[in-house]
Amino acid sequence: MSDIEPYGPVPTAQQLAWQRMEINMFCHFGPNTFSGAEWGDGTEAEDLFNPHKLNCNQWVDVAEAAGMKGIILTAKHHDGFCLWPSQQSSHTIAQSSWNEGNGDVLREFTDACRGRVKAGVYISPWDRNHPAYGSDTYNDVFINTLREVHTTYGPFFEQWFDGACGEGPNGKKQHYNWPLFMQTMNELNPSAILFSDIGPGCRWVGNEEGRAGETCWGTLNTEGATPSDNKPAPEELTTGHQGGSQWVPAEVDVSIRPGWFWHPDEHPKSVEELMEIYFNSVGRNGLLLLNVPPDTNGRICAEDSLRLVEFRRERDRIFSNDVTHGGHAHGNHLRGHQADNVLDTAYHTYWAASGANDTLHIGMPDANAFDIIMLQEYIPLGQRVASFHIDCWQPCLKDGAWQVGWVTVARGTTIGYKRLLRIPTVISPRLRIVFDSTLAAPIINRIALFNSKAK
Ligand code: FUL
């Protein structure tokens, strides 16, 4: 417990642990992997699903090597095919000839994750196979499916509720009983992060391009909204709501490939594209959920796993050398939470400004080159900063004469859990962070400077 009053809604312990995972893996896997479709219509023969070299340990090896902390598997996508022998459906791996109908991907997946990465599950409410879809009975089927999965294979760290909703065989659109879905989850696993368009655990970021807003609040107004058909506009999900009533941080889901499922003619994004996504997601107060789909063998192919290792290496290269090392910070502070705390790597130590517009100064032993600024607000006490700018002490031309003074090198709006700003290279021994607009006195737990051009 902190001796500082939190401001507004704050993350639960689970939401904080979730946000600190930073990058997780999404695995879209099912009949579409074999048919080439993205949205199977549910008529696919069960025998189509035949991952003859399935190895979920290999997925975990790849995720670990890539620095990912969790994996979410599509146990049931819109085609309704269940990757476990479900009692709630007749369209499952038990009806396929794979492993003579005795296979269980969800079991292999959760066994492989145990003790290594956290396991999460995607179960699509939209079901294009189930005969009851489009009627009230289907809501009970879906509840029973949740019950079955979470009691047999849990605990899962995250339950992913896709908002997609189509028509059933009777031509009727399903009315999902969202309150009952969420209530059932709270009963089955109160610690699970519940993803939906509007949370409550985390929200959809409003696009599938790998981009949170430059302004990105962890807070959202969810009163009167429901996932699927009555959610805030996508742009609002991208930015969140300043002063929003609930803590519902953004999850940035995007695929390493053009499609969500593996297709033979598609290839992974380049390291440059992945870095861009990283800066635009983790670097904008979001969690990156990067989809890496297993192939028809039931493994992550070499091309994708190599790309992920290169992506990891690039992040390690850039972020391993904080040039503030050996420096000092100062600024007016509240009760022992002094400015120097922003320079250490301990998560729970922070600078608590004494006033809403206090400036934070950083001095380094040498004039260092840097082109990336990392800022972190201590979100357990709420998200407070609405806009700021950063000045560096450096030579500048004033009234036709060279002198040394403060030059603004970056401007930003929100910070939140983490904000990464890329700027043209600066060489300076001093900088200051000026908070232009805040909802309450800033609380900052980390500032670091990096040089992306360093070898
Ligand atoms: C969407 C789905 O329709 C896509 O197939 C994919 O699963 C994506 C993550 O969510 O709503």
Side-chain angles (χ1 to χ4, degrees), residues 250-293:
E251 181 167 69
V252 182
D253 61 316
V254 58
S255 186
I256 194 168
R257 291 170 158 249
W260 289 102
F261 287 85
W262 183 86
H263 306 299
D265 298 335
E266 294 185 350
H267 298 282
K269 292 182 166 65
S270 65
V271 173
E272 291 71 32
E273 288 171 301
L274 293 172
M275 285 306 293
E276 192 62 31
I277 287 172
Y278 177 77
F279 279 106
N280 292 342
S281 54
V282 178
R284 290 183 177 176
N285 191 30
L287 178 138
L288 171 57
L289 180 62
L290 182 62
N291 181 63
V292 186

Side-chain angles (χ1 to χ4, degrees), residues 26 28 32 38-39 74 77-78 122 124 126 160 162-164 195 197 204 208 253-254 260-261 289 291:
F26 214 176
H28 276 66
N32 296 340
E38 276 291 314
W39 282 3
T74 55
H77 201 252
H78 308 329
Y122 167 119
S124 170
W126 187 21
W160 225 85
D162 197 307
F195 168 97
D197 293 328
W204 183 44
E208 292 178 341
D253 61 316
V254 58
W260 289 102
F261 287 85
L289 180 62
N291 181 63

Side-chain angles (χ1 to χ4, degrees), residues 63-123:
E64 279 192 331
M68 293 157 154
K69 304 289 188 288
I71 310 180
I72 300 177
L73 171 64
T74 55
K76 180 180 84 133
H77 201 252
H78 308 329
D79 54 37
F81 186 79
C82 300
L83 298 186
W84 77 101
S86 176
Q87 301 302 305
Q88 315 307 320
S89 165
S90 56
H91 190 50
T92 80
I93 49 173
Q95 283 79 43
S96 78
S97 46
W98 179 66
N99 277 357
E100 279 112 40
N102 296 315
D104 189 340
V105 180
L106 197 49
R107 172 67 65 211
E108 291 197 33
F109 167 69
T110 48
D111 282 352
C113 291
R114 194 162 302 118
R116 298 183 68 192
V117 292
K118 289 187 184 173
V121 70
Y122 167 119
I123 309 173

Side-chain angles (χ1 to χ4, degrees), residues 207-398:
N207 64 70
E208 292 178 341
E209 297 150 20
R211 181 177 50 80
E214 265 198 73
T215 296
C216 185
W217 293 96
T219 47
L220 194 72
N221 290 318
T222 58
E223 290 77 12
T226 43
S228 302
D229 48 2
N230 184 27
K231 56 177 182 283
E235 312 81 67
E236 288 178 61
L237 295 173
T238 306
T239 58
H241 293 138
Q242 176 172 335
S245 57
Q246 308 294 320
W247 187 268
V248 194
E251 181 167 69
V252 182
D253 61 316
V254 58
S255 186
I256 194 168
R257 291 170 158 249
W260 289 102
F261 287 85
W262 183 86
H263 306 299
D265 298 335
E266 294 185 350
H267 298 282
K269 292 182 166 65
S270 65
V271 173
E272 291 71 32
E273 288 171 301
L274 293 172
M275 285 306 293
E276 192 62 31
I277 287 172
Y278 177 77
F279 279 106
N280 292 342
S281 54
V282 178
R284 290 183 177 176
N285 191 30
L287 178 138
L288 171 57
L289 180 62
L290 182 62
N291 181 63
V292 186
D295 64 11
T296 48
N297 290 317
R299 293 171 184 226
I300 291 166
C301 66
E303 200 185 2
D304 293 18
S305 57
L306 283 171
R307 189 57 42 81
L308 284 172
V309 169
E310 289 165 6
F311 175 39
R312 162 96 189 253
R313 268 207 210 119
E314 180 63 358
R315 298 189 324 265
D316 287 351
R317 184 186 70 78
I318 295 175
F319 296 107
S320 58
N321 188 19
D322 175 3
V323 305
T324 68
H325 192 74
H328 283 291
H330 54 98
N332 296 336
H333 67 265
L334 212 58
R335 282 167 249 158
H337 300 288
Q338 70 214 26
D340 263 344
N341 288 339
V342 303
L343 298 177
D344 69 31
T345 53
Y347 187 74
H348 295 287
T349 64
Y350 46 82
W351 170 62
S354 62
N357 296 98
D358 284 356
T359 297
L360 182 63
H361 289 257
I362 312 282
M364 289 166 280
D366 298 304
N368 290 311
F370 56 90
D371 58 5
I372 294 174
I373 301 168
M374 180 177 107
L375 299 171
Q376 293 190 270
E377 270 184 272
Y378 186 65
I379 54 171
L381 294 173
Q383 192 176 346
R384 298 158 173 244
V385 178
S387 69
F388 64 94
H389 67 271
I390 295 177
D391 296 335
C392 282
W393 189 253
Q394 58 183 63
C396 53
L397 209 50
K398 208 172 172 197

